[in-house]
Amino acid sequence: MVLLAVALVVTAHWYVWRRLVRDTTKPGGLGRRAGTAAVVVLPLLAVGAVTSGRAQAPFRVQQVLAWPGFLWLAVLLYLVLALAVGEAVRPLLRRWTERRESARDMAEPAIEVTAPATVGAVRTPAAPDTPAPDRASAAPAPAAPSRRLFVSRVVGGAAATAALATVGYGTYGVLRGPRIKRITVPLAKLPRSAHGFRIAVVSDIHLGPILGRAHTQRIVDSINSARPDLIAVVGDLVDGSVEDLGPAAEPLAGLEAPHGSFFVTGNHEYFSGAAAWVDHVRELGLRPLENDRVEMPGFDLAGVNDIAGESEGAGPDFAKALGDRDRTRTSVLLAHQPVVIDDAVHHGVDLQLSGHTHGGQLWPGDLLAELANPTVAGLERYGDTQLYVTRGAGAWGPPVRVGAPSDITVVELASRQA
């Protein structure tokens, strides 16, 4: 799998170099040398960005590598897609230029220059055995190099512009912060007294070398402005240690909800020291639900650890969180990954709130996310259990979202008795 990924990345860089550098620049020129150097240096920065965190490099080094390295990965994706579309445009553009040149040549009148006759000059007839040139048998001239260069530069320039514009807009969407999304979920067993109870669901904040304290503050301000009754942080809060990212998480202490703020782990917490982060979010005023349950007015709120915790002996335990509850009461489950929906159905959960997928984050990533998750984004029903998946409030890797804008979802519970 790793070798396949490496092969794909190498092939993508070769293709970009061929179409964007070799075909648009002259051999030995400054443009050729600069483009070749960029196609060598940028993937090295990307490798450094991906591996520096796992290698526990100094946090400042991670920050220096993250911006150019991760952004290049996003640009590379859309460069390859745009250049692939350009392959279909290239022959059409070449024929158009050929027709235009032919029309221009036909429109220019031929000028015949003859020497003036000299008085008394003797005309010498052409030799009878000199054959006239056979225009019909002349081989067609190859495409002019200038024409090929023009077509390559037009296609390459358009592809680069499209890729940079796409990534630029996607980056702006992440740095601007998530928007509030509102949905209503009817629950059959929810009592009339709990009708209209609002849960702010936020997931996949991904504090790290790129997204820091300002990102957290924007999220906190957005949640508080929605005035929810309860706040659920559904995993993947961080990509790094408490030592490096503790200050970035501090604004979470400002979350405001009458029934409190709750937290469950995501898979990235287990790459970052989950036990330390559980303790830290507790210090910030959030209540971790580690395979635990708490009674709310009209329903039970439960939370399970992420399945990544199984490697540390701290995976999800549905029996502990839900096994001895009163099944006549409505239950709402916080679980980072949607794939545990079968366990939720088995234990009679009415509503599962999840994240993890990012909605695909970078189109066409949603197509891949559909292969690994029962629901990529939105609300779906599985038997008597409903599953809602938020697209998340941050981004992993490239701070870019295309076709999957970030969100904080306010889930309003509705009683069928109301």
Side-chain angles (χ1 to χ4, degrees), residues 196-211:
F197 193 98
R198 294 176 302 159
I199 303 173
V201 183
V202 59
S203 181
D204 301 284
I205 297 174
H206 284 291
L207 300 178
I210 294 178
L211 301 176

Side-chain angles (χ1 to χ4, degrees), residues 51-309:
T51 60
S52 59
R54 298 292 179 88
Q56 297 182 341
F59 190 63
R60 183 57 183 165
V61 172
Q62 295 180 42
Q63 290 177 308
V64 169
L65 293 173
W67 274 105
F70 282 126
L71 282 177
W72 169 244
L73 290 177
V75 171
L76 176 66
L77 169 63
Y78 292 107
L79 266 180
V80 170
L81 292 176
L83 288 170
V85 172
E87 299 296 343
V89 177
R90 189 181 297 272
L92 301 177
L93 185 58
R94 187 181 299 118
R95 283 197 290 270
W96 176 79
T97 57
E98 289 172 356
R99 290 196 190 100
R100 187 170 180 179
E101 288 179 5
S102 298
R104 186 175 63 244
D105 291 342
M106 293 178 63
E108 293 179 355
I111 301 175
E112 183 177 345
V113 179
T114 57
T118 306
V119 177
V122 179
R123 277 186 147 183
T124 304
D129 57 346
T130 303
D134 186 1
R135 296 182 180 270
S137 63
S146 60
R147 185 190 307 151
R148 292 198 302 269
L149 186 62
F150 170 76
V151 170
S152 294
R153 286 179 173 175
V154 169
V155 174
T161 300
L164 292 173
T166 300
V167 172
Y169 184 75
T171 303
Y172 166 74
V174 171
L175 299 182
R176 176 194 60 195
R179 293 294 189 245
I180 295 292
K181 179 180 179 180
R182 300 176 186 274
I183 66 166
T184 299
V185 180
L187 298 173
K189 294 184 292 184
L190 190 72
R192 184 188 298 268
S193 60
H195 179 75
F197 193 98
R198 294 176 302 159
I199 303 173
V201 183
V202 59
S203 181
D204 301 284
I205 297 174
H206 284 291
L207 300 178
I210 294 178
L211 301 176
R213 187 185 182 97
H215 180 63
T216 311
Q217 189 62 60
R218 284 190 293 269
I219 290 170
V220 169
D221 291 343
S222 295
I223 292 174
N224 288 344
S225 69
R227 299 183 180 277
D229 298 300
L230 181 149
I231 299 168
V233 181
V234 198
D236 278 8
L237 171 63
V238 293
D239 285 302
S241 66
V242 173
E243 180 182 0
D244 291 333
L245 296 173
E250 285 179 358
L252 294 174
L255 289 171
E256 300 174 354
H259 294 278
S261 301
F262 297 84
F263 171 79
V264 293
T265 55
N267 55 308
H268 282 247
E269 270 72 59
Y270 293 96
F271 307 148
S272 308
W277 274 110
V278 166
D279 291 340
H280 190 64
V281 297
R282 185 180 287 112
E283 293 170 358
L284 295 175
L286 284 77
R287 176 174 175 176
L289 290 176
E290 299 181 275
N291 300 320
D292 200 1
R293 182 177 75 252
V294 61
E295 288 190 4
M296 289 288 141
F299 66 95
D300 293 333
L301 179 71
V304 292
N305 295 344
D306 186 71
I307 56 178

Side-chain angles (χ1 to χ4, degrees), residues 6-22:
V6 171
L8 288 174
V9 171
V10 170
T11 302
H13 280 88
W14 173 82
Y15 177 60
V16 167
W17 175 83
R18 178 188 171 194
R19 284 308 194 196
L20 211 58
V21 179
R22 189 197 70 175

